[in-house]
């Protein structure tokens, strides 16, 4: 198992290299550059700027230079946030995003799985339909609607009550500031997890081995928890892989609505500003997380299904 | 002999979008301790559903009426809680498909021992020791090693042995074996039948053997009940049924069984299709396929009629002893 784990980590290096290379050249294919503005800069200033950042060199040289710097842990300076290096920007923003994302993930699992399991155990009853309607609503209403709505309710309507919550800002991670963004982030994931849990459990409850377990005279609770639950969780774990990456790398929408200093916005702003180094930085971060979390998901499969063995 | 399991006027129906379908219609059966009853019929004749009802394992859209008494206790009216004290402990079932009937993510030892732990309050250590004991009794080689294995690490035959061991854990009074050999290779089938014979000889349990294979019944059963379209059409000792079948359906089934001692060019079949339960033929359900059909069969359903020695049949045609 550990040999397999190590091998997967080593294989991750060429994968990352491919991601870096493709991202690097794709970024450069996009028209425009980091210093283009509405009013064009005088050519001399532009030339100087480009020279300062090494953009006057041939592309292959820039690429090799970038790789060389990366190997020394240097992600380069941001082209847009001129006083910061990419490492500094990520170091500031990532903790905010990862804390909100982890909290949202925790809440999504904590509520989503019991909700889906309840619906599955009361299949086709009012409880089931109610739970699935709520879940569907959670999926179809986009969070740029839910966010302002929550802000309206807790920031305006309930302003003078004990339920009033700040609607924007990070405030050094004060708990009240985190509540609305985390709820907003978690809602669609609660919904998805509930639906997948329900489907997985309903399918498992129909299997022959659940029938065997019932024929043994085990209480239904034991049948569900001991015999059905693990297999039912396989699709949930599959979904949790990409969901975790999405949540931990921050959501531009949520961070913009609630004014949070996370890294979510860098993905979009970096690309729009042609902030080459920043885009590369967040891409490498996201790609590393995808690789690592997929590895964790594969390990979880081995735990859920003994047929899966890694040599 | 007293009957441990008595089925009285059992009807099992399923509600479907196209209306209610009766899988089992008003059947009565009983099994004595130490006796093996063979329940024979085609797919869909209701033989499995009869005992699914007994164990409270009908699908959600199924309902059972009538009575099924285990040592006097009515299983159909028992609460889920009461039923759980009986299932596995006093009545156990061996299922058809050993490949999918064991929980894939639990070790064999745990799946066996949990029956005892649940019903007899033993600790884990005792449970596993008894599980090992039971695996040895069903002749699983290297039993100690198997306890720590997962189902996918065992062959089909071994898994069926595990299923049998599981049913025997609490030494129940009634063991229902639902097509225990159907999913297995022919050579493995023979081994499992030998094992069931051994179980029958060594335990005083009543065994119900559900099968479509008369050959299986011949070797194991004391009495045979033949089901067709949800009803029992003939019942008698294994000797009577094989030597002198009274119902044309039973005769057809026997004629279909390939025999080594009779030379035939082709395999004999019963003409026609098994009936659609949603739209049963009038009168005797078997009449469209019957060679001896007369007008009466089309309008009137024959009642079960006792001949001799407890041999009963549901057919208007007078029985001529062979």
């Amino acid at each position: 198992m550990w040999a397999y784990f190590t091998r997967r980590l080593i294989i991750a290096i060429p994968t990352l290299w491919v991601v870096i290379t493709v991202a690097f050249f794709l970024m450069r294919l996009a028209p425009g550059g980091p210093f283009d503005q509405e009013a064009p800069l005088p050519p001399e200033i532009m030339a100087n700027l480009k020279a300062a950042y090494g953009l006057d060199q041939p592309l292959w040289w820039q690429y090799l230079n970038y790789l060389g710097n990366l190997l020394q842990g240097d992600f380069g300076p941001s082209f847009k946030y001129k006083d910061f290096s990419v490492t500094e920007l990520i170091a500031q923003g990532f903790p905010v995003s990862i804390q909100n994302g982890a909290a949202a993930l925790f809440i999504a699992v904590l509520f989503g799985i019991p909700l889906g399991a309840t619906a599955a155990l009361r299949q086709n009853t009012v409880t089931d339909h109610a739970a699935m309607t709520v879940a569907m609503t959670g999926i179809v209403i986009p969070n740029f609607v839910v966010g302002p709505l929550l802000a309206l309710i807790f920031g305006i309507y309930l302003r003078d009550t004990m339920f009033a919550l700040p609607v924007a800002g990070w405030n050094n991670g004060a708990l009240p500031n985190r509540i609305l963004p985390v709820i907003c982030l978690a809602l669609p994931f609660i919904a998805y997890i509930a639906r997948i849990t329900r489907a997985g459990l309903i399918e498992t409850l129909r299997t022959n081995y659940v029938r065997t377990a019932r024929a043994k005279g085990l209480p239904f609770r034991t049948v569900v928890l001991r015999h059905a639950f693990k297999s039912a969780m396989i699709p949930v774990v599959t979904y949790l892989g990409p969901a975790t990456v999405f949540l931990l790398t921050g959501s531009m929408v949520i961070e913009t609505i609630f004014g949070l200093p996370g890294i979510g916005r860098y993905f979009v702003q970096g690309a729009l500003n042609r902030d080459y180094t920043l885009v590369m930085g967040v891409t490498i971060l996201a790609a590393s997380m995808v690789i690592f979390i997929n590895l964790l998901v594969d390990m979880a499969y081995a735990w859920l299904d003994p047929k899966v063995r890694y040599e | 002999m007293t009957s441990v399991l008595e089925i009285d006027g059992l009807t099992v129906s399923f509600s479907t979008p196209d209306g209610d379908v009766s899988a089992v219609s008003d059947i009565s059966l009983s099994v004595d301790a130490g006796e093996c009853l063979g329940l024979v019929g085609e797919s869909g004749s209701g033989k499995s559903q009869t005992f699914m009802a007994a164990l409270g394992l009908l699908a959600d859209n199924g309902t059972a009426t009538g009575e099924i008494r285990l040592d006097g206790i009515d299983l159909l009216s028992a609460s889920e809680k009461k039923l759980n004290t009986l299932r596995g402990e006093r009545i156990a079932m061996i299922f058809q498909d050993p490949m999918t009937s064991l929980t894939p993510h639990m070790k064999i030892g745990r799946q066996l021992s949990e029956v005892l732990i649940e019903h007899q309050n033993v600790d884990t250590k005792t449970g596993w020791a008894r599980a090992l004991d039971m695996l040895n009794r069903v002749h699983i080689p290297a039993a100690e090693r198997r306890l720590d294995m997962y189902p996918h690490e065992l062959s089909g035959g071994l898994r069926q042995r595990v299923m049998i061991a599981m049913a025997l854990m609490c030494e129940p009074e009634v063991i229902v074996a639902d097509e225990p050999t159907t999913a297995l290779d022919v050579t493995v089938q023979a081994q499992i039948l030998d094992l069931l014979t051994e179980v029958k000889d060594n335990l005083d349990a009543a065994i119900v053997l559900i099968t479509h294979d008369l050959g299986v019944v011949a070797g194991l059963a004391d009495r045979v009940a033949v089901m067709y379209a949800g009803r029992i059409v003939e019942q008698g000792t294994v000797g009577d049924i094989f030597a002198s079948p009274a119902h044309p359906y039973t005769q057809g089934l026997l004629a279909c069984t390939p025999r080594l001692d009779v030379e035939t060019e082709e395999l004999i079949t019963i003409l026609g299709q098994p009936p659609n339960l949603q739209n049963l033929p009038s009168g005797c359900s078997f009449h469209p396929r019957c060679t001896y059909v007369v007008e009466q069969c089309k309008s009137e359903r024959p009642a079960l009629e006792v001949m001799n020695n407890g041999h009963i049949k549901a057919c208007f045609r007078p029985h001529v002893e062979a």
Side-chain angles (χ1 to χ4, degrees):
Chain A
M1 192 77 154
W2 283 111
Y4 174 81
F5 193 80
T6 321
R7 204 165 68 235
R8 282 277 299 262
L9 284 182
I10 293 168
I11 295 171
I13 295 170
T15 312
L16 261 183
W17 170 73
V18 172
V19 170
I20 291 166
T21 308
V22 171
F24 185 90
F25 290 103
L26 268 182
M27 198 61 211
R28 299 309 175 96
L29 279 178
F35 309 117
D36 289 340
Q37 292 171 6
E38 277 179 47
L41 292 169
E44 303 80 27
I45 297 181
M46 187 64 106
N48 279 339
L49 268 174
K50 285 197 167 175
Y53 286 98
L55 294 178
D56 54 340
Q57 305 290 332
L59 197 53
W60 63 266
W61 187 88
Q62 290 181 41
Y63 169 70
L64 290 181
N65 196 35
Y66 183 75
L67 278 187
N69 288 339
L70 260 192
L71 286 178
Q72 297 164 44
D74 180 7
F75 285 72
S78 166
F79 290 120
K80 197 73 190 178
Y81 307 96
K82 294 202 172 65
D83 295 330
F84 296 96
S85 71
V86 169
T87 314
E88 281 168 342
L89 286 173
I90 290 177
Q92 282 169 15
F94 194 43
V96 174
S97 293
I98 208 170
Q99 283 177 43
N100 280 336
L105 186 70
F106 179 72
I107 288 172
V109 170
L110 192 72
F111 288 93
I113 290 176
L115 191 68
T118 311
L121 296 178
R122 305 193 201 299
Q123 198 194 342
N124 294 330
T125 63
V126 178
T127 318
D128 178 23
H129 294 312
M132 284 307 109
T133 307
V134 171
M136 205 40 155
T137 315
I139 293 169
V140 296
I141 302 182
N143 49 19
F144 56 79
V145 175
V146 176
L149 253 162
L150 286 176
L152 188 67
I153 295 169
F154 290 95
I156 307 287
Y157 297 155
L158 302 176
R159 179 177 37 192
D160 301 321
T161 70
M162 57 182 293
F163 301 108
L165 286 168
V167 297
W170 178 238
N171 193 13
N172 284 323
L175 184 66
N177 289 60
R178 297 185 190 210
I179 294 175
L180 291 186
V182 166
I183 290 176
C184 195
L185 206 51
L187 277 177
F189 289 90
I190 295 177
Y192 268 115
I193 291 173
R195 290 184 67 82
I196 297 167
T197 304
R198 176 181 180 271
L201 196 54
I202 285 176
E203 197 184 311
T204 315
L205 286 176
R206 289 197 190 126
T207 58
N208 286 343
Y209 57 85
V210 164
R211 184 182 63 187
T212 308
R214 290 182 60 205
K216 286 176 180 177
L218 301 173
F220 192 60
R221 229 183 107 79
T222 313
V223 173
V224 173
L225 292 177
R226 194 184 290 165
H227 290 266
F229 198 67
K230 255 186 163 180
S231 307
M233 281 300 101
I234 291 175
V236 178
V237 167
T238 307
Y239 169 72
L240 278 180
T244 305
V245 176
F246 181 86
L247 281 171
L248 295 188
T249 51
S251 152
M252 193 208 58
V253 175
I254 303 277
E255 288 177 1
T256 306
I257 291 173
F258 293 101
L260 301 175
I263 57 162
R265 61 206 153 105
Y266 293 154
F267 282 92
V268 179
Q269 282 176 7
L272 291 178
N273 292 336
R274 303 289 183 272
D275 195 340
Y276 297 144
T277 43
L278 183 58
V279 169
M280 290 306 293
V282 288
T283 303
I284 292 168
L285 180 73
S288 315
M289 286 182 65
V290 169
I291 290 169
F292 186 68
I293 284 166
N294 276 344
L295 181 52
L296 290 186
V297 166
D298 285 346
M299 305 303 245
Y301 284 148
W303 177 66
L304 290 170
D305 180 0
K307 266 179 254 176
V308 179
R309 277 280 162 269
Y310 302 117
E311 303 295 317
Chain B
M1 275 291 180
T2 48
S3 305
V4 269
L5 189 75
E6 290 174 301
I7 297 178
D8 213 348
L10 176 75
T11 295
V12 176
S13 57
F14 293 92
S15 58
T16 71
D18 305 324
D20 282 8
V21 177
S22 286
V24 178
S25 308
D26 189 28
I27 71 160
S28 299
L29 272 177
S30 68
V31 206
D32 295 345
E35 183 192 41
C36 177
L37 171 75
L39 192 55
V40 184
E42 291 167 302
S43 308
S45 60
K47 51 196 196 309
S48 293
Q49 294 307 329
T50 301
F51 287 92
M52 288 293 174
L55 274 98
L57 295 176
L58 287 177
D60 289 339
N61 61 342
T63 43
T65 55
E67 269 189 32
I68 303 179
R69 288 182 301 274
L70 174 68
D71 198 18
I73 308 162
D74 185 19
L75 297 175
L76 292 184
S77 60
S79 65
E80 184 82 6
K81 205 172 163 194
K82 175 75 186 166
L83 212 49
N84 276 339
T85 63
L86 303 171
R87 296 194 283 213
E89 163 85 9
R90 300 184 63 185
I91 177 166
M93 192 141 174
I94 299 161
F95 291 100
Q96 177 171 3
D97 188 355
M99 305 310 277
T100 58
S101 293
L102 291 163
T103 303
H105 58 76
M106 281 170 68
K107 287 179 176 170
I108 300 297
R110 183 147 183 243
Q111 299 198 47
L112 287 172
S113 60
E114 71 173 350
V115 190
L116 274 181
I117 294 169
E118 181 63 36
H119 292 294
Q120 301 184 355
N121 248 330
V122 302
D123 57 45
T124 313
K125 211 177 145 206
T126 320
W128 280 64
R130 294 268 296 277
L132 174 63
D133 203 34
M134 198 51 82
L135 287 187
N136 282 321
R137 274 174 65 181
V138 297
H139 310 298
I140 288 186
E144 190 145 19
R145 220 156 38 82
R146 313 284 182 186
L147 283 180
D148 268 321
M149 288 187 175
Y150 291 97
H152 73 273
E153 296 171 278
L154 304 184
S155 66
L158 282 184
R159 282 191 232 182
Q160 192 58 297
R161 282 176 196 272
V162 170
M163 292 296 293
I164 294 171
M166 202 183 273
L168 299 180
M169 282 306 281
C170 291
E171 310 213 331
E173 290 136 81
V174 179
I175 299 166
V176 182
D178 184 3
E179 306 258 8
T181 57
T182 308
L184 303 173
D185 289 343
V186 180
T187 47
V188 182
Q189 280 184 16
Q191 294 166 11
I192 295 294
L193 288 177
D194 286 345
L195 175 61
L196 285 173
T197 312
E198 200 182 309
V199 168
K200 184 191 152 201
D201 293 343
N202 294 339
L203 288 178
D204 197 28
I207 298 178
V208 178
L209 182 65
I210 300 172
T211 179
H212 62 265
D213 185 345
L214 279 168
V216 169
V217 166
L220 215 56
D222 303 305
R223 257 181 333 116
V224 182
V226 181
M227 281 186 82
Y228 187 79
R231 291 178 191 275
I232 290 176
V233 294
E234 182 167 5
Q235 193 181 326
T237 62
V238 73
D240 282 345
I241 294 285
F242 278 83
S244 164
H247 196 283
Y249 178 61
T250 316
Q251 293 166 0
L253 279 183
L254 283 169
C256 294
T257 311
R259 291 174 60 164
L260 286 175
D261 55 341
V262 181
E263 234 176 279
T264 43
E265 289 294 316
E266 56 186 311
L267 214 54
I268 299 163
T269 56
I270 303 178
L271 291 173
Q273 293 289 316
N276 177 359
L277 290 172
Q278 265 170 311
N279 188 16
L280 281 178
S282 60
C284 173
S285 302
F286 188 60
H287 87 253
R289 303 171 75 184
C290 185
T291 14
Y292 307 107
V293 63
V294 293
E295 275 310 308
Q296 193 187 12
C297 306
K298 297 178 185 169
S299 54
E300 210 181 309
R301 188 170 47 236
L304 278 168
E305 145 195 1
V306 183
M307 295 177 298
N308 50 15
N309 194 18
H311 189 176
I312 56 176
K313 65 159 168 112
C315 183
F316 294 122
R317 192 166 170 263
H319 180 49
V320 188
E321 288 288 335

